[in-house]
Amino acid sequence: MTSFSYEREAIDYLAAVAKGFPQAKVYRGQGAANRFDVPGWNLPVLQRFQFGDLRLETPGETIIVETESAGGVTNLVKYWPFLASGAVEKRLILLHLFQVASEGDYIAHRRLWGYLVERMKEDLQTRCGVLYGQHWEAHLFTYRSLEELEAIQHLLQERLAGR
Protein backbone atom coordinates (compact mmCIF):
# COMPACT_ATOMS: atom_id res chain seq x y z
CA MET A 1 0.00 0.00 0.00
CA THR A 2 1.44 3.37 -1.03
CA SER A 3 1.31 6.17 1.52
CA PHE A 4 0.16 9.64 0.52
CA SER A 5 2.01 12.70 1.75
CA TYR A 6 -0.22 15.73 2.22
CA GLU A 7 2.85 17.70 3.22
CA ARG A 8 4.57 16.87 -0.06
CA GLU A 9 1.39 17.78 -1.96
CA ALA A 10 1.36 21.23 -0.30
CA ILE A 11 5.08 21.77 -0.99
CA ASP A 12 4.68 20.68 -4.63
CA TYR A 13 1.82 23.16 -4.99
CA LEU A 14 3.81 26.06 -3.50
CA ALA A 15 6.96 25.14 -5.46
CA ALA A 16 4.86 25.39 -8.63
CA VAL A 17 3.82 28.91 -7.58
CA ALA A 18 7.50 29.84 -7.26
CA LYS A 19 8.26 28.64 -10.80
CA GLY A 20 6.60 31.78 -12.11
CA PHE A 21 9.35 33.88 -10.50
CA PRO A 22 12.71 33.14 -12.15
CA GLN A 23 14.61 35.35 -9.66
CA ALA A 24 13.80 32.85 -6.91
CA LYS A 25 16.07 29.86 -6.41
CA VAL A 26 14.13 26.87 -5.12
CA TYR A 27 15.55 24.36 -2.63
CA ARG A 28 13.78 21.44 -1.03
CA GLY A 29 14.50 18.20 0.71
CA GLN A 30 17.20 17.12 3.12
CA GLY A 31 20.27 17.41 0.91
CA ALA A 32 23.37 19.33 1.95
CA ALA A 33 22.34 22.35 -0.17
CA ASN A 34 19.25 22.80 2.00
CA ARG A 35 20.89 22.64 5.42
CA PHE A 36 22.37 25.18 7.80
CA ASP A 37 24.75 25.12 10.74
CA VAL A 38 24.63 27.56 13.60
CA PRO A 39 28.00 29.36 13.63
CA GLY A 40 30.17 27.96 16.38
CA TRP A 41 28.19 24.74 16.74
CA ASN A 42 30.32 22.92 14.15
CA LEU A 43 27.69 20.34 13.33
CA PRO A 44 28.58 17.58 10.86
CA VAL A 45 26.72 18.03 7.55
CA LEU A 46 24.26 15.22 8.28
CA GLN A 47 23.44 16.73 11.68
CA ARG A 48 22.82 20.25 10.42
CA PHE A 49 19.32 21.66 10.43
CA GLN A 50 17.11 21.40 7.37
CA PHE A 51 16.14 24.82 6.03
CA GLY A 52 12.54 23.74 5.67
CA ASP A 53 10.46 21.66 3.35
CA LEU A 54 10.73 24.44 0.79
CA ARG A 55 13.24 27.31 0.69
CA LEU A 56 13.08 30.16 -1.77
CA GLU A 57 16.08 32.44 -2.11
CA THR A 58 15.45 35.87 -3.62
CA PRO A 59 17.93 38.73 -3.81
CA GLY A 60 16.58 40.25 -0.57
CA GLU A 61 14.89 37.45 1.35
CA THR A 62 15.08 33.83 2.34
CA ILE A 63 11.55 32.42 2.43
CA ILE A 64 11.12 29.13 4.23
CA VAL A 65 8.01 26.95 4.22
CA GLU A 66 7.67 24.36 6.96
CA THR A 67 4.74 21.95 6.86
CA GLU A 68 3.35 19.98 9.77
CA SER A 69 0.80 17.24 10.03
CA ALA A 70 1.96 16.00 13.42
CA GLY A 71 2.48 19.20 15.42
CA GLY A 72 5.65 20.33 17.12
CA VAL A 73 7.75 23.45 17.43
CA THR A 74 11.23 22.27 16.48
CA ASN A 75 10.74 23.69 12.99
CA LEU A 76 10.42 27.14 14.58
CA VAL A 77 12.94 26.94 17.42
CA LYS A 78 15.83 25.84 15.20
CA TYR A 79 15.89 29.33 13.66
CA TRP A 80 16.33 31.07 17.03
CA PRO A 81 20.07 30.40 17.49
CA PHE A 82 20.62 30.88 13.76
CA LEU A 83 19.07 34.37 13.88
CA ALA A 84 20.91 35.17 17.13
CA SER A 85 24.25 34.24 15.57
CA GLY A 86 24.20 37.19 13.18
CA ALA A 87 24.92 34.84 10.28
CA VAL A 88 21.62 35.57 8.53
CA GLU A 89 22.50 37.82 5.61
CA LYS A 90 19.00 38.51 4.28
CA ARG A 91 15.56 38.93 5.78
CA LEU A 92 14.29 35.51 6.90
CA ILE A 93 10.59 34.82 6.35
CA LEU A 94 9.20 31.67 7.95
CA LEU A 95 5.83 30.38 6.75
CA HIS A 96 4.67 27.51 8.94
CA LEU A 97 1.74 25.43 7.71
CA PHE A 98 -0.21 23.11 9.99
CA GLN A 99 -2.55 20.71 8.27
CA VAL A 100 -5.71 20.31 10.34
CA ALA A 101 -8.96 18.40 10.08
CA SER A 102 -10.72 20.80 12.47
CA GLU A 103 -9.98 24.17 14.08
CA GLY A 104 -9.09 22.37 17.32
CA ASP A 105 -6.37 20.17 15.81
CA TYR A 106 -2.93 20.85 17.24
CA ILE A 107 -4.29 23.84 19.13
CA ALA A 108 -1.77 23.35 21.95
CA HIS A 109 1.08 23.15 19.43
CA ARG A 110 -0.15 26.22 17.56
CA ARG A 111 -0.50 28.24 20.76
CA LEU A 112 2.94 27.15 21.88
CA TRP A 113 4.23 28.18 18.44
CA GLY A 114 2.77 31.69 18.92
CA TYR A 115 4.17 31.89 22.44
CA LEU A 116 7.64 30.95 21.18
CA VAL A 117 7.52 33.55 18.41
CA GLU A 118 6.85 36.20 21.08
CA ARG A 119 9.78 34.97 23.20
CA MET A 120 12.02 34.89 20.13
CA LYS A 121 11.03 38.47 19.25
CA GLU A 122 11.86 39.72 22.75
CA ASP A 123 15.12 37.83 23.07
CA LEU A 124 16.46 38.53 19.61
CA GLN A 125 15.70 42.25 19.84
CA THR A 126 17.01 42.74 23.38
CA ARG A 127 20.03 40.48 23.24
CA CYS A 128 21.06 40.70 19.59
CA GLY A 129 19.40 43.71 17.98
CA VAL A 130 17.62 41.40 15.52
CA LEU A 131 14.25 43.02 14.85
CA TYR A 132 11.03 41.27 13.97
CA GLY A 133 9.63 42.68 10.74
CA GLN A 134 12.97 44.10 9.67
CA HIS A 135 15.29 41.08 9.93
CA TRP A 136 12.82 38.25 10.25
CA GLU A 137 9.17 37.32 10.56
CA ALA A 138 7.14 34.19 11.12
CA HIS A 139 3.59 33.37 10.05
CA LEU A 140 1.44 30.39 10.99
CA PHE A 141 -1.25 29.08 8.66
CA THR A 142 -3.69 26.22 8.94
CA TYR A 143 -5.16 24.39 5.99
CA ARG A 144 -7.32 21.36 5.31
CA SER A 145 -6.87 21.07 1.55
CA LEU A 146 -4.86 22.63 -1.25
CA GLU A 147 -7.72 25.00 -1.94
CA GLU A 148 -7.13 26.54 1.49
CA LEU A 149 -3.53 27.41 0.62
CA GLU A 150 -4.74 30.50 -1.26
CA ALA A 151 -3.69 32.92 1.51
CA ILE A 152 -0.16 31.52 1.62
CA GLN A 153 -0.04 31.47 -2.18
CA HIS A 154 -0.85 35.20 -2.31
CA LEU A 155 1.70 36.03 0.40
CA LEU A 156 4.31 33.98 -1.41
CA GLN A 157 3.55 35.68 -4.74
CA GLU A 158 3.83 39.13 -3.13
CA ARG A 159 7.18 38.27 -1.54
CA LEU A 160 8.54 36.77 -4.73
CA ALA A 161 7.41 39.83 -6.67
CA GLY A 162 9.36 42.00 -4.20
CA ARG A 163 6.38 43.65 -2.52
Side-chain angles (χ1 to χ4, degrees), residues 133-157:
Q134 182 178 343
H135 301 112
W136 74 287
E137 56 188 74
H139 304 277
L140 185 143
F141 297 88
T142 59
Y143 73 102
R144 291 185 181 114
S145 65
L146 288 182
E147 291 76 30
E148 293 185 6
L149 290 176
E150 190 172 310
I152 182 105
Q153 175 186 342
H154 290 301
L155 178 63
L156 201 54
Q157 288 170 324

PDB file of all heavy atoms in Angstrom, residues 133-157:
ATOM      1  N   GLY A 133      10.169  41.818  11.779  1.00  0.00           N
ATOM      2  CA  GLY A 133       9.632  42.682  10.740  1.00  0.00           C
ATOM      3  C   GLY A 133      10.718  43.271   9.860  1.00  0.00           C
ATOM      4  O   GLY A 133      10.521  43.457   8.675  1.00  0.00           O
ATOM      5  N   GLN A 134      11.855  43.555  10.453  1.00  0.00           N
ATOM      6  CA  GLN A 134      12.974  44.097   9.675  1.00  0.00           C
ATOM      7  C   GLN A 134      13.940  42.994   9.256  1.00  0.00           C
ATOM      8  O   GLN A 134      14.333  42.909   8.102  1.00  0.00           O
ATOM      9  CB  GLN A 134      13.718  45.150  10.483  1.00  0.00           C
ATOM     10  CG  GLN A 134      14.868  45.788   9.723  1.00  0.00           C
ATOM     11  CD  GLN A 134      15.555  46.871  10.544  1.00  0.00           C
ATOM     12  OE1 GLN A 134      15.030  47.367  11.529  1.00  0.00           O
ATOM     13  NE2 GLN A 134      16.756  47.229  10.134  1.00  0.00           N
ATOM     14  N   HIS A 135      14.330  42.151  10.204  1.00  0.00           N
ATOM     15  CA  HIS A 135      15.294  41.085   9.926  1.00  0.00           C
ATOM     16  C   HIS A 135      14.648  39.720   9.741  1.00  0.00           C
ATOM     17  O   HIS A 135      15.233  38.846   9.109  1.00  0.00           O
ATOM     18  CB  HIS A 135      16.331  40.992  11.060  1.00  0.00           C
ATOM     19  CG  HIS A 135      17.091  42.253  11.253  1.00  0.00           C
ATOM     20  ND1 HIS A 135      16.959  43.028  12.383  1.00  0.00           N
ATOM     21  CD2 HIS A 135      17.983  42.888  10.465  1.00  0.00           C
ATOM     22  CE1 HIS A 135      17.749  44.081  12.282  1.00  0.00           C
ATOM     23  NE2 HIS A 135      18.379  44.024  11.130  1.00  0.00           N
ATOM     24  N   TRP A 136      13.482  39.537  10.346  1.00  0.00           N
ATOM     25  CA  TRP A 136      12.823  38.249  10.253  1.00  0.00           C
ATOM     26  C   TRP A 136      11.344  38.404  10.569  1.00  0.00           C
ATOM     27  O   TRP A 136      10.920  39.397  11.142  1.00  0.00           O
ATOM     28  CB  TRP A 136      13.470  37.235  11.199  1.00  0.00           C
ATOM     29  CG  TRP A 136      13.140  37.453  12.657  1.00  0.00           C
ATOM     30  CD1 TRP A 136      13.617  38.440  13.470  1.00  0.00           C
ATOM     31  CD2 TRP A 136      12.250  36.671  13.459  1.00  0.00           C
ATOM     32  NE1 TRP A 136      13.088  38.315  14.732  1.00  0.00           N
ATOM     33  CE2 TRP A 136      12.245  37.236  14.759  1.00  0.00           C
ATOM     34  CE3 TRP A 136      11.476  35.550  13.214  1.00  0.00           C
ATOM     35  CZ2 TRP A 136      11.494  36.715  15.798  1.00  0.00           C
ATOM     36  CZ3 TRP A 136      10.722  35.025  14.259  1.00  0.00           C
ATOM     37  CH2 TRP A 136      10.742  35.608  15.530  1.00  0.00           C
ATOM     38  N   GLU A 137      10.577  37.410  10.166  1.00  0.00           N
ATOM     39  CA  GLU A 137       9.174  37.322  10.560  1.00  0.00           C
ATOM     40  C   GLU A 137       8.733  35.871  10.424  1.00  0.00           C
ATOM     41  O   GLU A 137       9.364  35.086   9.722  1.00  0.00           O
ATOM     42  CB  GLU A 137       8.293  38.262   9.750  1.00  0.00           C
ATOM     43  CG  GLU A 137       8.360  38.101   8.255  1.00  0.00           C
ATOM     44  CD  GLU A 137       7.596  39.193   7.525  1.00  0.00           C
ATOM     45  OE1 GLU A 137       8.075  40.338   7.473  1.00  0.00           O
ATOM     46  OE2 GLU A 137       6.512  38.875   6.994  1.00  0.00           O
ATOM     47  N   ALA A 138       7.672  35.552  11.121  1.00  0.00           N
ATOM     48  CA  ALA A 138       7.143  34.186  11.122  1.00  0.00           C
ATOM     49  C   ALA A 138       5.620  34.250  11.066  1.00  0.00           C
ATOM     50  O   ALA A 138       5.012  35.053  11.769  1.00  0.00           O
ATOM     51  CB  ALA A 138       7.605  33.446  12.374  1.00  0.00           C
ATOM     52  N   HIS A 139       5.040  33.404  10.219  1.00  0.00           N
ATOM     53  CA  HIS A 139       3.588  33.367  10.045  1.00  0.00           C
ATOM     54  C   HIS A 139       3.111  31.925  10.130  1.00  0.00           C
ATOM     55  O   HIS A 139       3.711  31.041   9.522  1.00  0.00           O
ATOM     56  CB  HIS A 139       3.190  33.945   8.689  1.00  0.00           C
ATOM     57  CG  HIS A 139       3.688  35.335   8.465  1.00  0.00           C
ATOM     58  ND1 HIS A 139       3.021  36.439   8.946  1.00  0.00           N
ATOM     59  CD2 HIS A 139       4.805  35.795   7.847  1.00  0.00           C
ATOM     60  CE1 HIS A 139       3.698  37.522   8.607  1.00  0.00           C
ATOM     61  NE2 HIS A 139       4.792  37.156   7.952  1.00  0.00           N
ATOM     62  N   LEU A 140       2.034  31.721  10.850  1.00  0.00           N
ATOM     63  CA  LEU A 140       1.443  30.394  10.991  1.00  0.00           C
ATOM     64  C   LEU A 140       0.140  30.360  10.199  1.00  0.00           C
ATOM     65  O   LEU A 140      -0.668  31.287  10.279  1.00  0.00           O
ATOM     66  CB  LEU A 140       1.165  30.092  12.465  1.00  0.00           C
ATOM     67  CG  LEU A 140       0.650  28.700  12.763  1.00  0.00           C
ATOM     68  CD1 LEU A 140       1.239  28.203  14.069  1.00  0.00           C
ATOM     69  CD2 LEU A 140      -0.857  28.662  12.831  1.00  0.00           C
ATOM     70  N   PHE A 141      -0.040  29.303   9.439  1.00  0.00           N
ATOM     71  CA  PHE A 141      -1.248  29.082   8.656  1.00  0.00           C
ATOM     72  C   PHE A 141      -1.780  27.693   8.954  1.00  0.00           C
ATOM     73  O   PHE A 141      -1.010  26.775   9.222  1.00  0.00           O
ATOM     74  CB  PHE A 141      -0.961  29.164   7.148  1.00  0.00           C
ATOM     75  CG  PHE A 141      -0.474  30.497   6.689  1.00  0.00           C
ATOM     76  CD1 PHE A 141       0.871  30.798   6.698  1.00  0.00           C
ATOM     77  CD2 PHE A 141      -1.372  31.446   6.230  1.00  0.00           C
ATOM     78  CE1 PHE A 141       1.333  32.029   6.259  1.00  0.00           C
ATOM     79  CE2 PHE A 141      -0.925  32.683   5.790  1.00  0.00           C
ATOM     80  CZ  PHE A 141       0.427  32.979   5.806  1.00  0.00           C
ATOM     81  N   THR A 142      -3.088  27.551   8.890  1.00  0.00           N
ATOM     82  CA  THR A 142      -3.686  26.222   8.936  1.00  0.00           C
ATOM     83  C   THR A 142      -4.388  25.998   7.603  1.00  0.00           C
ATOM     84  O   THR A 142      -4.843  26.941   6.957  1.00  0.00           O
ATOM     85  CB  THR A 142      -4.703  26.071  10.082  1.00  0.00           C
ATOM     86  OG1 THR A 142      -5.751  27.028   9.922  1.00  0.00           O
ATOM     87  CG2 THR A 142      -4.032  26.235  11.438  1.00  0.00           C
ATOM     88  N   TYR A 143      -4.459  24.735   7.217  1.00  0.00           N
ATOM     89  CA  TYR A 143      -5.160  24.393   5.985  1.00  0.00           C
ATOM     90  C   TYR A 143      -5.686  22.972   6.091  1.00  0.00           C
ATOM     91  O   TYR A 143      -5.164  22.155   6.845  1.00  0.00           O
ATOM     92  CB  TYR A 143      -4.238  24.548   4.766  1.00  0.00           C
ATOM     93  CG  TYR A 143      -3.178  23.478   4.639  1.00  0.00           C
ATOM     94  CD1 TYR A 143      -3.322  22.431   3.740  1.00  0.00           C
ATOM     95  CD2 TYR A 143      -2.027  23.500   5.431  1.00  0.00           C
ATOM     96  CE1 TYR A 143      -2.359  21.444   3.634  1.00  0.00           C
ATOM     97  CE2 TYR A 143      -1.059  22.523   5.321  1.00  0.00           C
ATOM     98  CZ  TYR A 143      -1.233  21.492   4.420  1.00  0.00           C
ATOM     99  OH  TYR A 143      -0.279  20.520   4.313  1.00  0.00           O
ATOM    100  N   ARG A 144      -6.742  22.713   5.367  1.00  0.00           N
ATOM    101  CA  ARG A 144      -7.319  21.365   5.310  1.00  0.00           C
ATOM    102  C   ARG A 144      -7.061  20.729   3.949  1.00  0.00           C
ATOM    103  O   ARG A 144      -6.921  19.536   3.843  1.00  0.00           O
ATOM    104  CB  ARG A 144      -8.812  21.427   5.583  1.00  0.00           C
ATOM    105  CG  ARG A 144      -9.143  21.804   6.999  1.00  0.00           C
ATOM    106  CD  ARG A 144     -10.648  21.731   7.240  1.00  0.00           C
ATOM    107  NE  ARG A 144     -10.931  22.131   8.596  1.00  0.00           N
ATOM    108  CZ  ARG A 144     -11.606  23.217   8.926  1.00  0.00           C
ATOM    109  NH1 ARG A 144     -12.097  24.000   8.002  1.00  0.00           N
ATOM    110  NH2 ARG A 144     -11.795  23.519  10.186  1.00  0.00           N
ATOM    111  N   SER A 145      -7.055  21.559   2.911  1.00  0.00           N
ATOM    112  CA  SER A 145      -6.870  21.066   1.550  1.00  0.00           C
ATOM    113  C   SER A 145      -6.062  22.100   0.769  1.00  0.00           C
ATOM    114  O   SER A 145      -5.851  23.224   1.230  1.00  0.00           O
ATOM    115  CB  SER A 145      -8.233  20.858   0.886  1.00  0.00           C
ATOM    116  OG  SER A 145      -8.885  22.108   0.739  1.00  0.00           O
ATOM    117  N   LEU A 146      -5.640  21.710  -0.421  1.00  0.00           N
ATOM    118  CA  LEU A 146      -4.856  22.629  -1.246  1.00  0.00           C
ATOM    119  C   LEU A 146      -5.618  23.910  -1.549  1.00  0.00           C
ATOM    120  O   LEU A 146      -5.012  24.981  -1.642  1.00  0.00           O
ATOM    121  CB  LEU A 146      -4.462  21.954  -2.560  1.00  0.00           C
ATOM    122  CG  LEU A 146      -3.405  20.871  -2.468  1.00  0.00           C
ATOM    123  CD1 LEU A 146      -3.084  20.325  -3.855  1.00  0.00           C
ATOM    124  CD2 LEU A 146      -2.137  21.388  -1.814  1.00  0.00           C
ATOM    125  N   GLU A 147      -6.920  23.814  -1.656  1.00  0.00           N
ATOM    126  CA  GLU A 147      -7.722  25.002  -1.940  1.00  0.00           C
ATOM    127  C   GLU A 147      -7.571  26.048  -0.837  1.00  0.00           C
ATOM    128  O   GLU A 147      -7.723  27.238  -1.080  1.00  0.00           O
ATOM    129  CB  GLU A 147      -9.197  24.635  -2.116  1.00  0.00           C
ATOM    130  CG  GLU A 147      -9.491  23.823  -3.379  1.00  0.00           C
ATOM    131  CD  GLU A 147      -9.076  22.363  -3.272  1.00  0.00           C
ATOM    132  OE1 GLU A 147      -9.085  21.783  -2.159  1.00  0.00           O
ATOM    133  OE2 GLU A 147      -8.704  21.784  -4.318  1.00  0.00           O
ATOM    134  N   GLU A 148      -7.275  25.615   0.362  1.00  0.00           N
ATOM    135  CA  GLU A 148      -7.126  26.536   1.491  1.00  0.00           C
ATOM    136  C   GLU A 148      -5.725  27.137   1.585  1.00  0.00           C
ATOM    137  O   GLU A 148      -5.431  27.877   2.512  1.00  0.00           O
ATOM    138  CB  GLU A 148      -7.511  25.845   2.797  1.00  0.00           C
ATOM    139  CG  GLU A 148      -8.992  25.517   2.865  1.00  0.00           C
ATOM    140  CD  GLU A 148      -9.405  24.945   4.202  1.00  0.00           C
ATOM    141  OE1 GLU A 148      -8.577  24.897   5.131  1.00  0.00           O
ATOM    142  OE2 GLU A 148     -10.568  24.543   4.301  1.00  0.00           O
ATOM    143  N   LEU A 149      -4.875  26.832   0.634  1.00  0.00           N
ATOM    144  CA  LEU A 149      -3.531  27.415   0.616  1.00  0.00           C
ATOM    145  C   LEU A 149      -3.508  28.746  -0.128  1.00  0.00           C
ATOM    146  O   LEU A 149      -2.443  29.320  -0.350  1.00  0.00           O
ATOM    147  CB  LEU A 149      -2.531  26.446  -0.021  1.00  0.00           C
ATOM    148  CG  LEU A 149      -2.209  25.204   0.789  1.00  0.00           C
ATOM    149  CD1 LEU A 149      -1.278  24.297   0.005  1.00  0.00           C
ATOM    150  CD2 LEU A 149      -1.607  25.556   2.134  1.00  0.00           C
ATOM    151  N   GLU A 150      -4.671  29.262  -0.480  1.00  0.00           N
ATOM    152  CA  GLU A 150      -4.742  30.500  -1.255  1.00  0.00           C
ATOM    153  C   GLU A 150      -4.067  31.672  -0.534  1.00  0.00           C
ATOM    154  O   GLU A 150      -3.338  32.448  -1.150  1.00  0.00           O
ATOM    155  CB  GLU A 150      -6.199  30.847  -1.563  1.00  0.00           C
ATOM    156  CG  GLU A 150      -6.336  31.977  -2.549  1.00  0.00           C
ATOM    157  CD  GLU A 150      -7.774  32.182  -2.988  1.00  0.00           C
ATOM    158  OE1 GLU A 150      -8.415  31.198  -3.383  1.00  0.00           O
ATOM    159  OE2 GLU A 150      -8.225  33.332  -2.925  1.00  0.00           O
ATOM    160  N   ALA A 151      -4.287  31.809   0.764  1.00  0.00           N
ATOM    161  CA  ALA A 151      -3.688  32.920   1.512  1.00  0.00           C
ATOM    162  C   ALA A 151      -2.160  32.842   1.473  1.00  0.00           C
ATOM    163  O   ALA A 151      -1.488  33.857   1.264  1.00  0.00           O
ATOM    164  CB  ALA A 151      -4.181  32.924   2.955  1.00  0.00           C
ATOM    165  N   ILE A 152      -1.621  31.662   1.667  1.00  0.00           N
ATOM    166  CA  ILE A 152      -0.163  31.516   1.616  1.00  0.00           C
ATOM    167  C   ILE A 152       0.340  31.712   0.195  1.00  0.00           C
ATOM    168  O   ILE A 152       1.404  32.286  -0.017  1.00  0.00           O
ATOM    169  CB  ILE A 152       0.303  30.169   2.211  1.00  0.00           C
ATOM    170  CG1 ILE A 152       1.827  30.064   2.198  1.00  0.00           C
ATOM    171  CG2 ILE A 152      -0.197  29.002   1.464  1.00  0.00           C
ATOM    172  CD1 ILE A 152       2.423  30.240   3.512  1.00  0.00           C
ATOM    173  N   GLN A 153      -0.418  31.273  -0.784  1.00  0.00           N
ATOM    174  CA  GLN A 153      -0.040  31.469  -2.183  1.00  0.00           C
ATOM    175  C   GLN A 153       0.077  32.957  -2.487  1.00  0.00           C
ATOM    176  O   GLN A 153       1.060  33.393  -3.081  1.00  0.00           O
ATOM    177  CB  GLN A 153      -1.070  30.829  -3.109  1.00  0.00           C
ATOM    178  CG  GLN A 153      -0.803  31.103  -4.574  1.00  0.00           C
ATOM    179  CD  GLN A 153      -1.907  30.585  -5.476  1.00  0.00           C
ATOM    180  OE1 GLN A 153      -2.711  29.742  -5.091  1.00  0.00           O
ATOM    181  NE2 GLN A 153      -1.949  31.089  -6.694  1.00  0.00           N
ATOM    182  N   HIS A 154      -0.891  33.759  -2.052  1.00  0.00           N
ATOM    183  CA  HIS A 154      -0.849  35.198  -2.311  1.00  0.00           C
ATOM    184  C   HIS A 154       0.331  35.863  -1.589  1.00  0.00           C
ATOM    185  O   HIS A 154       1.014  36.708  -2.166  1.00  0.00           O
ATOM    186  CB  HIS A 154      -2.166  35.867  -1.912  1.00  0.00           C
ATOM    187  CG  HIS A 154      -3.299  35.496  -2.806  1.00  0.00           C
ATOM    188  ND1 HIS A 154      -3.292  35.732  -4.155  1.00  0.00           N
ATOM    189  CD2 HIS A 154      -4.480  34.894  -2.538  1.00  0.00           C
ATOM    190  CE1 HIS A 154      -4.417  35.287  -4.695  1.00  0.00           C
ATOM    191  NE2 HIS A 154      -5.151  34.766  -3.740  1.00  0.00           N
ATOM    192  N   LEU A 155       0.566  35.478  -0.338  1.00  0.00           N
ATOM    193  CA  LEU A 155       1.699  36.028   0.403  1.00  0.00           C
ATOM    194  C   LEU A 155       3.011  35.666  -0.303  1.00  0.00           C
ATOM    195  O   LEU A 155       3.889  36.517  -0.467  1.00  0.00           O
ATOM    196  CB  LEU A 155       1.689  35.518   1.845  1.00  0.00           C
ATOM    197  CG  LEU A 155       2.851  35.971   2.717  1.00  0.00           C
ATOM    198  CD1 LEU A 155       2.837  37.490   2.897  1.00  0.00           C
ATOM    199  CD2 LEU A 155       2.772  35.294   4.073  1.00  0.00           C
ATOM    200  N   LEU A 156       3.115  34.435  -0.718  1.00  0.00           N
ATOM    201  CA  LEU A 156       4.313  33.981  -1.413  1.00  0.00           C
ATOM    202  C   LEU A 156       4.507  34.753  -2.720  1.00  0.00           C
ATOM    203  O   LEU A 156       5.613  35.221  -3.015  1.00  0.00           O
ATOM    204  CB  LEU A 156       4.192  32.478  -1.693  1.00  0.00           C
ATOM    205  CG  LEU A 156       5.420  31.688  -1.959  1.00  0.00           C
ATOM    206  CD1 LEU A 156       6.450  31.841  -0.859  1.00  0.00           C
ATOM    207  CD2 LEU A 156       5.057  30.228  -2.130  1.00  0.00           C
ATOM    208  N   GLN A 157       3.454  34.937  -3.491  1.00  0.00           N
ATOM    209  CA  GLN A 157       3.553  35.676  -4.740  1.00  0.00           C
ATOM    210  C   GLN A 157       3.970  37.128  -4.496  1.00  0.00           C
ATOM    211  O   GLN A 157       4.786  37.670  -5.235  1.00  0.00           O
ATOM    212  CB  GLN A 157       2.216  35.621  -5.499  1.00  0.00           C
ATOM    213  CG  GLN A 157       1.938  34.263  -6.090  1.00  0.00           C
ATOM    214  CD  GLN A 157       0.540  34.115  -6.636  1.00  0.00           C
ATOM    215  OE1 GLN A 157      -0.418  34.654  -6.088  1.00  0.00           O
ATOM    216  NE2 GLN A 157       0.409  33.349  -7.698  1.00  0.00           N
TER     217      GLN A 157
END
